[in-house]
Amino acid sequence: TEAPASRTAQRGEAWKGNVKLVEPGVVSQTEASRRREARKREEASQQTGEQAVTSEQGAKRKRGPETEAPASRKAQRREERNGKGASRAEPARGTVVSTVTEDLQKAFAGAKAVAVDIKGQDLSRLGTVSIVALASEEQCFLLDVLGKKKDDPLIRWLRKLLEDDEVTKIIHDCKCDSDALMHRLGIKLPPLSVHDTQCWYTACGRGRGRSLADTLSQYGMRSKVDRRHNIHEQKGKHFWLTRPVTDAMNARASGDMHKLFVLQERQLKVGEAKKVQEKAQKASAASCTTLREKKAKIIHVSYPGIFMGAGGVSIRSLELRSGTNIYSRGRRKEQKFMVFYTDEKALRMVVDAERQSVPRRDWDDYWDSDGWQSDEDMM
């Protein structure tokens, strides 16, 4: 007998029996209904498009002339990062002046705040002051003060501006700047008129003071100056003593001056919200006077790496114990450090720490006929 069909074959035969065959050229009722539905949807979409165009035209009539579309959120963040979020136009590079000009006087007439930065070699009373970068919110000037005396007309004009209690001086880490201004140019900054952005950074609870580039990044801005490397290692020991002032000097001195105003504004808002204005102001005043009222001396360190410690931990501990301030100066191969101290006992602690950093295997090179090297050989 004939074998029975499989279950799958039986289902296939049943499906074929339910289909109504249509002659060629004749549209089935199901296909016709599908086409009618498609035409209805197309007509409905056309009507919706016409209504949308009509409503857009009406909205344009209400708005009046076509206006510029608002910037995207990404563009707004980019502008804020570059310091344009406070509606300030970024000024061009600094204007170099060596005398008191009419433009210079007009730019700072009646100013309530100025941004200040000092550039020089081994910046301090023992170094050289080369350029004073001075900026308003609209303009930046580079005052060429190299070789000028304290009674020079440009220095006298600068002294009158910076010693005014009513003018806020915005500076990042003003300790060495204040020391150089007082002892080299005879300009004594009023402590209560200084806004030290590094001190405000710490007072607002953001951690230990950082470089200007790092501080700007913490407040959503990007520095235009590459400060990752020592400028003396990159450009040479006498970079700031070059004359005439080069484009590289101009770019480095004036690159971030306008952003100090934006940084101050944002720090004041954070300080007001956290109620730390008084604490930050006291820290700024202390930073202004901490070095200029101490004595200063340069010492030569045989093993800077050991003397400083990993990440500078040894030198920071030494500063706390002795009450001194210690800064590396010049190129690394010069192994030169500047010590600011209050008395001879504090200086002696630093000198002893330097001697203790010498490895035992090198004691023979560190020994003279009378014992340890004299202080005159080290300083």
Side-chain angles (χ1 to χ4, degrees), residues 234-285:
Q234 286 185 312
K235 304 294 184 180
K237 179 180 178 181
H238 304 293
F239 175 74
W240 291 114
L241 305 184
T242 306
R243 289 299 180 275
V245 176
T246 64
D247 290 342
M249 294 167 65
N250 195 322
R252 192 172 182 90
S254 62
D256 293 329
M257 292 299 291
H258 72 285
K259 294 183 180 177
L260 287 173
F261 291 96
V262 184
L263 180 58
Q264 182 212 22
E265 182 179 318
R266 296 181 182 179
Q267 286 182 335
L268 289 174
K269 289 181 180 179
V270 175
E272 183 179 1
K274 294 188 175 182
K275 299 181 180 180
V276 294
Q277 303 99 314
E278 185 176 352
K279 176 183 176 182
Q281 190 58 54
K282 286 182 179 179
S284 288

Side-chain angles (χ1 to χ4, degrees), residues 42-58:
E42 186 178 355
E43 291 173 359
S45 63
Q46 290 177 355
Q47 291 177 0
T48 305
E50 292 175 358
Q51 292 176 359
V53 171
T54 304
S55 62
E56 178 64 23
Q57 291 174 350

Side-chain angles (χ1 to χ4, degrees), residues 17-156:
N18 292 331
V19 177
K20 295 182 179 180
L21 299 179
V22 181
E23 296 180 7
V26 179
V27 179
S28 67
Q29 185 177 359
T30 305
E31 181 66 21
S33 64
R34 265 202 306 268
R35 293 183 180 182
R36 282 196 299 269
E37 292 295 333
R39 280 198 299 269
K40 288 180 181 179
R41 284 196 299 270
E42 186 178 355
E43 291 173 359
S45 63
Q46 290 177 355
Q47 291 177 0
T48 305
E50 292 175 358
Q51 292 176 359
V53 171
T54 304
S55 62
E56 178 64 23
Q57 291 174 350
K60 284 185 178 180
R61 284 195 296 269
K62 290 180 181 179
R63 286 199 305 264
E66 186 69 21
T67 57
E68 185 179 355
S72 65
R73 182 58 185 162
K74 186 175 181 180
Q76 291 175 359
R77 286 198 300 269
R78 184 165 56 250
E79 290 182 356
E80 291 175 0
R81 198 167 51 238
N82 293 329
K84 301 177 183 178
S87 301
R88 292 189 178 95
E90 181 178 346
R93 286 188 177 180
T95 302
V96 181
V97 296
S98 57
T99 59
V100 181
T101 64
E102 184 178 351
D103 291 339
L104 180 64
Q105 292 177 316
K106 184 186 293 185
F108 297 98
K112 296 299 181 183
V114 295
V116 184
D117 191 20
I118 315 299
K119 301 297 183 184
Q121 181 177 338
D122 296 338
L123 187 62
S124 68
R125 72 189 73 179
L126 301 179
T128 304
V129 179
S130 174
I131 293 173
V132 177
L134 197 64
S136 65
E137 295 188 21
E138 294 80 21
Q139 291 180 277
C140 179
F141 288 85
L142 303 184
L143 278 58
D144 185 357
V145 299
L146 183 63
K148 293 189 181 298
K149 304 297 183 182
K150 295 180 180 180
D151 59 350
D152 186 270
L154 182 62
I155 303 301
R156 290 204 305 267

Side-chain angles (χ1 to χ4, degrees), residues 122-127 175-176 179-180 183 290-298 319 322-327 329 337-343 346-347 350:
D122 296 338
L123 187 62
S124 68
R125 72 189 73 179
L126 301 179
K175 293 188 287 292
C176 291
D179 182 69
H183 293 280
T290 187
L291 296 188
R292 73 188 190 189
E293 312 221 342
K294 293 181 178 180
K295 302 175 184 178
K297 203 158 208 173
I298 289 180
E319 288 177 331
S322 61
T324 59
N325 298 87
I326 307 172
Y327 296 89
R329 285 291 181 261
F337 285 77
M338 189 175 298
V339 182
F340 293 87
Y341 60 98
T342 54
D343 52 38
L347 179 61
V350 177

